[in-house]
Structure formats: structure tokens, C-alpha cells
Amino acid sequence: MRIITGSARGVRLKSPAGDGTRPTADRTREALFSMLGARVYDAQVLDLFAGTGALALEALSRGAASAVLVDRTTYAILQENVRRTKMEDCAEIRRGDVYDHVVVLAREGHAFDLIFADPPYACGANVRVLAAVDAATLLSADGLFVLEQGAGETIIEHSGSLSLVRERRYGAARICFYAEEVRE
């Protein structure tokens, strides 16, 4: 696994041993960032279930302003990958339960232009994280929530004020894009 383009292009990322973490494949990440385009530049990014940090670090490499990376089990891996990509000044790592941190980030007044979440597949975490992000109102007005889930999992059309605006399948993964509904 490596950073695809930008200031940290080609930097190899450390991955945890075993099957506990399922990093987003390089080709899926490349397609995702191609769809996001210029939206990444100067963005405030949140990466939930960050794992290796590949999504947030790719965004920072492509010009995002800052990123908060949250994971319960991969803190040391995240520290190493932030160091390898030289993103220490713009990446903040938070260790602990994703849902607890969503509440804390909301209480601290954060708003993010891009929120990535790659929860464990097939355990209902996709539904739970979508609802948690919506309830915390962490997404900026024009923000985008990008949820990776298993290709066989049910696609959630709406969750509170968030609505599905696009989805794509890549092998065993499905990338779903959500934005706040425009209400008249």
C-alpha cells in the first residue's frame, strides 16, 4: 500500500499484521479520489476507522488542509504512517472508540468537508456510523460523507439529514457518497 499522488507520492504505508484491518485497495482509492477531484483541496478531513490512515493521508498528499484520524486499535501504525508521509503538522490522531470521538468532535465544534468511514463489513457498523455522523452534525454545509461498505450490504438511501448521492462498486467493496439534503 502506498500514497498514489501528491506531495507524498510513492510513500509506502505500514499495515498491521493479520486480518483485523482491511485497507482500501490502491485502485479503489485512486478511483475514489478521481471522483472527489478538486473537492479535496483545502478540505478539513475526518477519517473514521482510519486503520492505516491511507484515505486521510492520500487527501493530505493531494492538498487537504488538515485531517483527524480516529481508530481504536491502530494508533502506532497511524503514527508511523503520518511520520513516513511527513504530515505531522496537519494530521491529528485520536485513539479510541469512533462513536465516542464523533460526539467529542461535535462538542469541540468541528465541521469537516470530507468524512471517510471504512467500518468493519457485515456487522451493521455502516448503519451505525452514518447515523452517528448525522446526529453529531459534523459535516460542513457542502461536505461529503464517503462510506466504504461491503458490496453485499444493503445500501442506505437516507439517514437523518444525509442522503445517498452516488455509489460505486469495486470488487468486494462499495463506496457510497452522502450529502445533506437540501430542504426547501
Side-chain angles (χ1 to χ4, degrees):
M1 175 169 302
R2 62 184 173 78
I3 299 296
I4 298 164
T5 197
S7 64
R9 180 181 182 172
V11 172
R12 296 215 174 266
L13 300 177
K14 185 175 180 180
S15 294
D19 297 333
T21 302
R22 175 199 22 77
T24 302
D26 284 358
R27 114 184 133 87
T28 302
R29 207 164 5 98
E30 189 168 11
L32 166 63
F33 280 93
S34 178
M35 286 185 273
L36 291 173
R39 180 183 282 274
V40 174
Y41 188 75
D42 265 348
Q44 304 296 318
V45 175
L46 174 61
D47 191 354
L48 302 171
F49 302 97
T52 63
L55 292 172
L57 295 171
E58 186 72 44
L60 289 170
S61 181
R62 292 171 183 248
S66 67
V68 176
L69 298 85
V70 182
D71 202 289
R72 183 178 39 161
T73 60
T74 62
Y75 187 78
I77 298 287
L78 289 169
Q79 283 184 309
E80 175 66 17
N81 287 339
V82 165
R83 187 195 60 74
R84 285 181 181 195
T85 56
K86 298 178 174 49
M87 300 291 179
E88 298 94 338
D89 292 342
C90 50
E92 177 187 347
I93 304 166
R94 294 190 180 200
R95 178 186 345 205
D97 181 76
V98 164
Y99 305 104
D100 291 343
H101 279 286
V102 164
V103 172
V104 170
L105 288 163
R107 193 177 318 125
E108 292 172 354
H110 289 276
F112 297 95
D113 305 305
L114 286 172
I115 300 176
F116 298 111
D118 186 4
Y121 288 178
C123 67
N126 59 334
V127 175
R128 186 173 177 206
V129 73
L130 191 57
V133 167
D134 176 61
T137 61
L138 286 175
L139 201 58
S140 65
D142 295 325
L144 198 60
F145 178 78
V146 181
L147 174 66
E148 181 175 337
Q149 64 180 43
E153 292 181 87
T154 302
I155 296 174
I156 304 150
E157 296 285 335
H158 302 280
S159 180
S161 66
L162 298 177
S163 291
L164 181 71
V165 294
R166 184 180 208 182
E167 62 87 18
R168 295 286 184 269
R169 182 177 173 175
Y170 299 95
R174 182 178 308 280
I175 307 292
C176 298
F177 299 82
Y178 294 89
E180 286 203 15
E181 289 184 77
V182 177
R183 299 193 189 232
E184 303 282 325

